[in-house]
């Protein structure tokens, strides 16, 4: 590499070249715009980040940054960053705040929370964390030490239901092993938009001969690499999976030894899937029967096969949990569970990274047992969720705040809380407005912080310490690379200070973040100090990956000790034990009367590469890539309605409507409309009923409801 000695100092400064002469230093950190936490080389001069680049030594991101990460400086230094603690002046409807000190803020927070605790019990304070994952164990520990069972998170709408489906079926979660996998069923996942760090590996595997079957209503950047694309009607994954099972069983392509020895309920399942002939499934899913047959054969005849599903698109349906059980049952049926190149079970370690390390996250979170505390939010409605996930079902939070039943929730302490995440976000907003005390911590002033009585400014990864474990045995510890913006602080300092202000006497919190992390890591034999020696990250030497086929020794951690086609837990709860297919609550088949007025199937929130939920709309670089809120429809449907590209249209559901732009694209199938969530000024979640949800998981039906699009131009 050139040492740039031929350049003048002015040229070097212009090129932002690091060196003693330019005073530009390269400091190692990570991007926190999403939880992939790609490695970043921050070019820092005079305490200011002047450039960011992907950090080549990061084994997870390989030196790459996506469009959002590349705009990191706009995120860091945005004018919306909250610079001091803010106290609302005037009543709930006021939008005026006064700046106060941290000391004052902690006193105010503690006195309100203590008062509510004394009057109504600690359970009447709910603690909530939005998308941010890295601080969750700390907030949960705070919540339980305070005495409240109501720890709630954004996972009430994300990933946990796919995990729940897997736990009900296998007793644990698994993921594709991608070691010599011959066939990958990519079921509702668009890694080139949503999981860029895994995309490279996926395309490489395809180059090396792995066959890809894509399932999903959209044409995606992966489609051209796929052997076949099963373009289903949103919300019908279950019917497709059952039809694939039908073909696999009828043609004798299933793993007889595994099924006979290690599964429960196969006969009932076999007899149920007889209904789902490829022809029958074609009429439900719109996928041609011969394509279903070909996909089933390719998947089942492949030596090593796996299913990569998205974190949430299969479960964002009112029938999502059973649909997902039907999908993952195909893994066991074909004998691909817990084996090389199939699905691998690696217990989750610190921050949910499957890396073979033994850590005590669970113990840390449960500083105090929730046993004996009142029932968690939503547990009466979704007892299975409550039993297995052991956290409140956030989707039910606004209902309990509003009704005061079974007991009042009077305060919410929210970290990274965005009420626009909720189905019926207007309903959630009304609920928050009913609280006696709403306190939120965020980097930015948002629609939610603006509602709050007390707003606390937190900082980004560039300004804080953070441990990060990546799947694939790589980890790192960051030190701040710049001073915090304004008086913002790390969430962890806020949490530990609040704990002290509430006099919770937490012996670990009082020692600070690093000591807490060391405590969590202790069984692994690793310490923060080991990671500190490698600021760009290092391979985790400690621990070892578990063997395959653990079930042969230990059975499955389900009530029967087997993989359960027929779930004991669901059966005992009086629910349907088989992964039975039901139509979405609203669909052209289940509610033809509604479909008459709202004939299109609406799917919301499929990921766009330049946005991350609510986070990057405010960044000029990313916003410019998709400036206006738009609904995407197929040109065939547009033509029927006299709609042209860019027309202003009314997108309506039985609940409400929005005026947005029309984008005509073959990406969405005929009969389907798609809109991204969180768009400022056009919140699609206002079009969804707050109780439009799956009866078992409580998950919202974000991705299959009914709508109509009409021209208003
Ligand atoms: N850029 C970006 N990346 C993200 C996020 C983001 O906001 N922005 N969010 C992150 C989070 S929290 C999550 S949960 C993941 C989600 O990311 P993914 O799991 O990839 O989910 P989506 O992009 O919603 O949908 C992926 C594919 O699912 C299919 N699909 C859409 N609707 C349906 C349906 O009704 N049924 C079926 N069977 N398939 C459907 C479509 O073909 C779509 O291309 O992305 C993560 N990554
Ligand atoms: N219609 C529809 N709605 C959906 C979905 C959909 O597909 N369709 N997807 C659902 C899914 S899967 C998800 S994951 C949710 C997204 O859930 P949200 O929680 O809405 O996600 P974000 O908007 O990314 O983050 C919330 C807030 O966290 C703040 N934040 C960022 N980093 C930190 C931090 O380190 N500390 C603190 N205290 N705050 C921070 C951000 O500034 C932001 O205001 O949306 C759900 N809602
Ligand atoms: S926003 Fe992009 S660069 Fe940042 S962590 Fe996520 S994928 Fe990586
Ligand atoms: Mo999510």
């Amino acid at each position: 590499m050139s040492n740039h000695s031929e350049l003048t100092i002015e040229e070097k400064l212009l090129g932002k070249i690091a060196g003693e002469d330019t005073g530009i230093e390269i400091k190692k950190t990570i991007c926190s715009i999403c939880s992939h936490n790609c490695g970043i080389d921050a070019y820092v001069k005079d305490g200011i980040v002047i450039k960011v680049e992907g950090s080549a030594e990061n084994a997870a991101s390989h030196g790459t940054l996506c469009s959002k990460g590349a705009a990191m400086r706009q995120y860091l230094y945005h004018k919306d960053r909250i610079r001091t603690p803010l106290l609302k002046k005037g009543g709930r409807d006021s939008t005026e705040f006064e700046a106060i000190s941290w000391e004052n803020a902690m006193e105010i927070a503690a006195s309100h929370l203590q008062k509510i605790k004394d009057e109504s019990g600690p359970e009447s304070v709910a603690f909530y964390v939005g998308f941010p994952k890295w601080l969750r164990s700390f907030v949960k520990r705070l919540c339980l030490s305070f005495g409240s069972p109501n720890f709630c998170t954004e996972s009430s709408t994300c990933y946990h239901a796919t995990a729940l489906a897997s736990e009900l079926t296998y007793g644990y979660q698994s993921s594709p092993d991608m070691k010599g996998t011959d066939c990958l069923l990519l079921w509702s996942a668009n890694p080139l938009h949503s999981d860029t760090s895994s995309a490279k590996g996926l395309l490489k595997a395809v180059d090396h001969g792995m066959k890809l079957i894509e399932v999903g209503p959209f044409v995606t950047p992966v489609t051209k690499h796929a052997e076949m694309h099963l373009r289903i009607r949103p919300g019908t994954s279950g019917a497709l999976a059952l039809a694939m099972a039908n073909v696999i069983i009828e043609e004798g392509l299933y793993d007889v030894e595994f099924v006979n020895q290690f599964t429960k309920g196969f006969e009932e399942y076999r007899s149920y899937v007889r209904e789902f002939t490829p022809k029958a499934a074609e009429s439900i899913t719109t996928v041609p029967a011969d394509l279903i047959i070909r996909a089933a054969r390719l998947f089942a005849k492949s030596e090593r096969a796996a299913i990569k599903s998205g974190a949430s698109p299969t479960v964002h349906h009112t029938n999502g949990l059973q649909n997902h059980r039907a999908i993952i049952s195909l893994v066991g049926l074909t004998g691909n569970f817990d084996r090389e190149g199939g699905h691998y079970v690696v217990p989750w370690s610190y921050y949910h990274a499957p890396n073979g390390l033994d850590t005590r996250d669970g113990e840390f979170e449960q500083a105090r047992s929730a046993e004996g505390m009142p029932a968690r939010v939503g547990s009466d409605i979704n007892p299975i969720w409550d039993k297995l996930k052991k956290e409140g079902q956030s989707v039910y939070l606004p209902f309990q705040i509003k009704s005061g039943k079974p007991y009042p929730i009077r305060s919410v302490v929210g970290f990274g809380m965005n009420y626009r995440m909720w189905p019926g976000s207007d309903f959630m907003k009304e609920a928050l407005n009913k609280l006696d005390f709403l306190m939120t911590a965020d980097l930015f002033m948002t629609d939610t912080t603006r509602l709050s009585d007390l707003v606390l400014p937190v900082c980004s990864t560039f300004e804080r310490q953070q441990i990060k474990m990546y799947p694939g045995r790589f980890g790192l510890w960051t030190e701040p690379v710049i001073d915090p913006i304004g008086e913002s602080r790390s969430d962890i300092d806020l949490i530990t200070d609040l704990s002290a202000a509430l006099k919770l006497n937490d012996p670990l919190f009082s020692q600070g973040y690093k000591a807490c992390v060391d405590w969590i890591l202790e069984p692994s034999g690793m310490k923060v100090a080991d990671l500190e020696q490698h600021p760009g990250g290092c391979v985790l030497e400690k621990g070892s990956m578990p063997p395959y086929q653990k079930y042969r020794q230990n059975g499955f951690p389900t009530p029967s000790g087997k993989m359960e086609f027929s779930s004991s837990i669901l059966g005992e709860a009086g629910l349907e034990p088989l992964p039975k297919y039901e139509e979405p609550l609203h669909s052209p088949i289940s509610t033809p009367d509604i479909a008459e007025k709202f004939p299109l199937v609406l799917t919301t929130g499929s990921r766009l590469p330049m946005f991350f939920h609510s986070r990057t709309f405010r960044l000029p670089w990313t916003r410019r890539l998709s400036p206006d809120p738009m609904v995407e429809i197929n040109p065939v449907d547009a033509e029927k309605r006299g709609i042209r590209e860019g027309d202003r249209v009314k997108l309506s559901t039985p609940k409400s409507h929005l005026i947005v732009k029309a984008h005509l694209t073959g990406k969405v199938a005929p009969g389907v409309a798609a809109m991204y969530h969180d768009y400022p000024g056009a919140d699609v979640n206002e079009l969804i009923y707050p109780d439009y949800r799956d009866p078992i998981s409580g998950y919202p039906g974000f991705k299959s409801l009914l709508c109509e699009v009409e021209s208003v131009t």
Side-chain angles (χ1 to χ4, degrees), residues 240-408:
L240 177 62
L242 293 166
M244 288 180 70
N246 172 304
V247 175
I248 293 169
I249 296 172
E250 294 299 315
E251 298 192 2
L253 301 175
Y254 65 99
D255 186 325
V256 177
E257 190 239 10
F258 178 85
V259 165
N260 287 347
Q261 275 195 50
F262 299 107
T263 69
K264 165 180 174 285
F266 178 68
E267 284 311 319
E268 295 102 284
Y269 171 74
R270 176 210 282 262
S271 105
Y272 177 59
V273 305
R274 283 206 183 103
E275 284 175 36
F276 288 84
T277 59
K279 254 297 163 253
E282 174 176 331
S283 66
I284 301 172
T285 62
T286 73
V287 179
D290 66 312
L291 206 54
I292 299 177
I293 296 169
R294 277 172 50 210
R297 287 179 185 158
L298 175 58
F299 182 74
K301 287 182 178 174
S302 294
E303 173 57 26
R304 287 152 299 190
I307 303 179
K308 182 177 167 72
S309 61
S312 56
T314 56
V315 288
H316 278 171
H317 303 275
T318 56
N319 56 358
L321 186 103
Q322 293 286 35
N323 281 353
H324 199 78
R325 285 195 67 233
I327 295 169
I328 51 166
S329 293
L330 296 172
V331 177
L333 183 66
T334 52
N336 279 299
F337 195 76
D338 209 8
R339 61 168 295 206
E340 187 167 2
H343 277 234
Y344 191 19
V345 177
V346 183
W348 274 2
S349 166
Y350 199 37
Y351 293 150
H352 302 180
N355 57 20
L357 286 185
D358 183 14
T359 59
R360 32 181 181 172
D361 322 29
E363 256 178 90
F364 179 78
E365 292 171 1
Q366 307 274 334
R368 180 174 160 190
S369 162
E371 205 97 339
M373 292 183 191
R376 281 180 279 262
V377 168
S379 60
D380 46 344
I381 312 283
N382 302 117
I384 301 285
W385 163 275
D386 186 69
K387 184 175 166 150
L388 273 85
K389 297 300 26 146
K390 298 192 169 40
E391 61 177 63
Q393 196 355 318
S394 308
V395 173
Y396 197 69
L397 193 56
F399 290 91
Q400 186 162 344
I401 295 173
K402 283 193 161 197
S403 69
K405 300 224 163 62
Y407 56 82

Side-chain angles (χ1 to χ4, degrees), residues 536-590:
C538 61
V539 173
L540 305 174
E541 302 289 352
K542 300 266 164 52
S544 59
M545 294 300 262
Y548 294 105
Q549 300 201 329
K550 296 172 270 296
Y551 60 83
R552 287 191 182 271
Q553 291 266 310
N554 317 323
F556 287 85
T558 54
S560 64
K562 298 190 164 179
M563 172 205 164
E564 299 195 343
F565 287 112
S566 173
S567 159
S568 316
I569 295 177
L570 290 177
E572 274 159 28
L575 296 161
E576 175 54 58
L578 287 172
K580 282 204 173 162
Y581 176 72
E582 281 190 35
E583 273 292 304
L585 275 178
H586 290 177
S587 87
I589 294 178
S590 60

Side-chain angles (χ1 to χ4, degrees), residues 188 190 193-194 217 232 234 237 310 312 317 607-608 611 613 703:
S188 302
N190 183 5
H193 287 179
S194 65
I232 53 166
S237 286
S312 56
H317 303 275
R607 307 314 187 222
L608 295 174
F611 297 132
H613 303 298
K703 288 185 168 56

